[in-house]
Amino acid sequence: MAKVLVLGAGLTGLATAALLARDGHAVTVVERDPAPAPPPGQAWDGWPRQGVNQFRLAHFMLPRWWSLVRAELPGVTEALLAAGALRCNLLALLPERRRGPIRPADDRFETVTARRPLLEAVLSRAAESAGVTISRGVAVTGLATDGHGAVPRVIGVLTAAGPPIHADLVVDCGGRRSALPAWLVAAGARPPVEEREPCGFVYYGRHFHGELPEMHTNVLQAYDSLSVLTLPGDNGTWSVVLVTHGRDKAMRALRDPACWHQVLARYPLAAHWADGAPITGVDVMAGIEDRHRRLAVAGTPVATGVVTVGDAWACTNPSLGRGASIGLLHALLLRDTLREIDPAEHDKLASRFDELTARAMEPLHQATVWLDRHRLAELEADLAGEPYRPDDGRWAASKALFAASLHDPELTRAYSALASFIAGPDEVFAEPGVRERVGRLSAGAPPYPLPGPSRAELLSTLDQAGAAGWPG
Ligand SMILES: Cc1cc2nc3c(=O)[nH]c(=O)nc-3n(C[C@H](O)[C@H](O)[C@H](O)COP(=O)(O)OP(=O)(O)OC[C@H]3O[C@@H](n4cnc5c(N)ncnc54)[C@H](O)[C@@H]3O)c2cc1C
């Protein structure tokens, strides 16, 4: 069994480490942030985690994530529930008049979710129970290589303080801001292939505490000029996020809590989600980019002995809530690859993991970026006061499915399967009758079928909120 070093103790790093340790590998995680994981109940208030910008921002774990956790990380569900995580069924949460009676197969919409600090604290304990050593306060500054050949073999990492740490395999789980490309180039490797573009959304989120509000519609709701996310959490908490286009200057007033509340009050299916005690201000996150990285150029690895997993590999706009699920799927792919190939066969492992990642993971990443791009362009069209009619039938089909799902329990399930990340559009539309029913039930639907203000009404609310005292 191999000596594996996982760089980064975020959601994917911890899950990767636990999975590999359960397979018998000797796993060490190095994490730059020094604070140890507190007991889960103290994680929200008392855990400094500067290494993860989104640490205290809204997170929701999708049914896909939970089904993988339940199957592959025994004990984590129980630990999450003991810490107050919420077990819920995304379909059952919807009003019965929309979804009809619950059926046995609807258990696929179940999930267990919590605020991010609690999730991480539980995963940290799970990794340690699986035999992982977590060294916090260790900042990786570069790669140790064997110094031979055009394709360097990574044999460990350099750290800010202390000697290099050697390993048979280095797994970069350093997140969105992973510095791996610069380290590879410094080690003499060719730069990895990278694609990045600013994703352009701005998130205005607030957490609450109280009695969990009823879910009148889906978690993610698209309206003219903004989206609303209503996300249940652990221990009687939840979060609400308003998502806008970064170029929509009028929406910047949403950073003011009074303005944020007045705007949320305009959405009849979501307004009651403000009926709780706020436990944060309005947290704003912008400047998030979509980025994808490949450690092989034209099929040849730029280095061996190192792989990237999770956000360090690819990350997207988070409003679909897929990051943790994609990270966990990727971690499982690495685990399975290591069941086939010993890290001592470092050339073979690098090529094979790159190939499998391209085959199994890239379609998931591309599908997420595709949705982001369309929604961003749609918000831009709203800003310009124009209809959004791209020459892409799949986008029209996805809008039509949502509109039709408001009137048909089967299609509510089809749409919920997409939102839960347990099925893709091809599978959903291949079901007998789906295409026909979507066409029929969405005919004449407006671009935004959920009740909410028009852009003009939204701007007027923002104006009134500003006149009532917001300084900007
Ligand atoms: C605003 C926002 C909301 C989101 N909401 C959701 C959601 O609802 N559902 C969902 O599934 N996903 C969500 N995501 C995505 C999710 O947060 C990420 O996919 C997930 O955190 C990725 O885990 P990771 O382990 O790959 O990276 P991270 O969690 O970012 O962890 C990286 C770790 O590496 C450490 N590190 C970095 N560099 C070094 C170094 N040089 N030396 C040592 N340590 C280092 C960092 O300190 C950090 O702890 C959201 C993201 C954002 C930005």
Side-chain angles (χ1 to χ4, degrees):
M1 285 295 144
K3 194 173 163 193
V4 179
L5 185 139
V6 176
L7 190 171
L11 289 179
T12 305
L14 292 167
T16 306
L19 288 168
L20 298 186
R22 287 176 53 79
D23 260 20
H25 299 291
V27 186
T28 300
V29 177
V30 288
E31 166 56 49
R32 183 169 44 201
D33 285 350
Q42 294 165 23
W44 173 257
D45 288 321
W47 193 4
R49 282 288 275 121
Q50 289 85 353
V52 181
N53 281 343
Q54 70 269 33
F55 194 62
R56 283 190 177 72
L57 301 185
H59 274 69
F60 183 81
M61 296 297 106
L62 296 176
R64 180 70 173 273
W65 180 83
W66 183 60
S67 73
L68 295 169
V69 166
R70 194 174 41 164
E72 305 286 357
L73 289 169
V76 169
T77 296
E78 293 72 13
L80 282 170
L81 293 175
L86 178 76
R87 185 170 187 158
C88 61
N89 182 306
L90 272 190
L91 188 92
L93 284 173
L94 294 172
E96 186 163 359
R97 67 178 177 282
R98 182 161 161 211
R99 56 156 163 86
I102 289 298
R103 309 165 189 171
D106 293 335
D107 60 3
R108 66 202 160 116
F109 300 111
E110 292 232 333
T111 192
V112 170
T113 190
R115 287 168 296 171
R116 161 88 190 229
L118 186 144
L119 290 165
E120 236 188 70
V122 167
L123 279 174
S124 185
R125 289 184 160 200
E128 284 175 323
S129 307
V132 174
T133 303
I134 304 179
S135 300
R136 297 185 187 267
V138 179
V140 172
T141 54
L143 301 170
T145 58
D146 67 359
H148 312 297
V151 177
R153 178 181 180 184
V154 173
I155 55 168
V157 295
L158 309 175
T159 62
I165 307 173
H166 289 111
D168 302 319
L169 179 66
V170 171
V171 184
D172 177 21
C173 290
R176 287 183 169 263
R177 292 178 293 163
S178 146
L180 187 69
W183 298 338
L184 284 167
V185 171
R190 288 167 301 154
V193 182
E194 259 195 4
E195 287 159 23
R196 47 171 82 219
E197 53 182 307
C199 91
F201 294 99
V202 187
Y203 297 82
Y204 301 89
R206 187 158 216 199
H207 279 80
F208 295 86
H209 183 261
E211 193 177 327
L212 186 66
E214 272 183 48
M215 189 78 91
H216 292 334
T217 188
N218 301 71
V219 162
L220 173 58
Q221 304 147 38
Y223 299 101
D224 186 348
S225 299
L226 60 71
S227 303
V228 179
L229 282 157
T230 49
L231 306 173
D234 59 283
N235 293 293
T237 65
W238 67 88
S239 50
V240 181
V241 187
L242 306 182
V243 188
T244 70
H245 195 297
R247 279 207 283 276
D248 199 344
K249 290 194 180 139
M251 301 297 155
R252 292 181 191 165
L254 291 170
R255 63 179 64 239
D256 171 59
C259 185
W260 187 94
H261 278 267
Q262 287 187 45
V263 166
L264 182 63
R266 299 297 312 259
Y267 296 90
L269 300 180
H272 61 295
W273 280 67
D275 295 344
I279 54 173
T280 62
V282 173
D283 294 312
V284 184
M285 186 140 184
I288 300 173
E289 61 180 12
D290 287 341
R291 201 248 312 123
H292 172 265
R293 175 176 294 162
R294 196 161 176 182
L295 296 193
V297 181
T300 310
V302 298
T304 64
V306 63
V307 291
T308 58
V309 173
D311 274 15
W313 162 68
C315 48
T316 58
N317 144 60
S319 59
L320 300 173
R322 292 178 174 179
S325 305
I326 291 182
L328 186 48
L329 282 164
H330 204 193
L332 287 162
L333 186 69
L334 177 63
R335 182 204 62 187
D336 293 348
T337 311
L338 289 174
R339 285 178 178 173
E340 259 179 56
I341 304 171
D342 189 299
E345 296 182 272
H346 54 100
D347 291 321
K348 189 173 168 190
L349 178 64
S351 299
R352 182 86 179 126
F353 190 60
D354 171 69
E355 183 190 313
L356 290 173
T357 296
R359 193 186 308 158
M361 303 303 303
E362 277 187 33
L364 301 178
H365 174 73
Q366 293 305 339
T368 308
V369 170
W370 173 83
L371 271 166
D372 290 356
R373 291 287 140 262
H374 274 298
R375 179 61 182 144
L376 195 66
E378 187 175 47
L379 288 174
E380 191 145 21
D382 293 344
L383 174 56
E386 291 164 2
Y388 181 59
R389 293 201 197 96
D391 188 17
D392 182 346
R394 291 178 310 146
W395 173 252
S398 102
K399 295 277 289 183
L401 173 60
F402 178 69
S405 78
L406 300 172
H407 309 288
D408 178 317
E410 296 304 329
L411 297 181
T412 298
R413 283 166 176 76
Y415 183 81
S416 296
L418 291 181
S420 302
F421 203 37
I422 54 178
D426 292 346
E427 278 164 276
V428 159
F429 279 100
E431 285 293 315
V434 165
R435 224 167 253 290
E436 178 275 319
R437 282 210 307 282
V438 167
R440 183 164 39 83
L441 292 169
S442 67
Y448 295 116
L450 296 177
S454 65
R455 180 169 181 83
E457 289 163 340
L458 189 55
L459 291 176
S460 153
T461 304
L462 286 163
D463 268 356
Q464 284 162 22
W470 188 65

